[in-house]
Amino acid sequence: MTEENKDQQEQMREQAEQKAEEGKSQKEQMKEKAQAKQKDFKDEKSKVQSKQDETQGKVDDAEDQVFQEKGDNQFNQYR
């Protein structure tokens, strides 16, 4: 092999390694983005669950109040 062929072969090998590194880097970036989206989704899900729990608590309180008033009204009718 001539010196020129060796240089070309070495250059091609370096380019292949560089492309492999770029591919790995892109894969890592995509993985990080996916993990960030997953975390955002979990955070949003947690917020929604918290809001649902709060709303359900208000509904339960209102329901208790209605039953209490109903009971008071029935009691007052018999007095």
Side-chain angles (χ1 to χ4, degrees), residues 9-42:
Q9 216 175 18
E10 181 64 30
Q11 189 177 15
M12 288 173 58
R13 188 176 300 124
E14 288 175 4
Q15 287 175 347
E17 287 175 6
Q18 186 178 6
K19 284 187 178 185
E21 282 297 317
E22 287 174 3
K24 185 190 284 187
S25 178
Q26 286 177 341
K27 188 176 180 181
E28 288 173 3
Q29 287 176 352
M30 289 174 61
K31 185 177 179 181
E32 288 172 2
K33 283 182 183 179
Q35 287 174 339
K37 282 185 179 183
Q38 202 172 31
K39 183 182 182 313
D40 289 345
F41 176 78
K42 286 180 181 179

Side-chain angles (χ1 to χ4, degrees), residues 1 10 34 53 58:
M1 246 189 222
E10 181 64 30
D53 291 346
K58 289 178 182 179

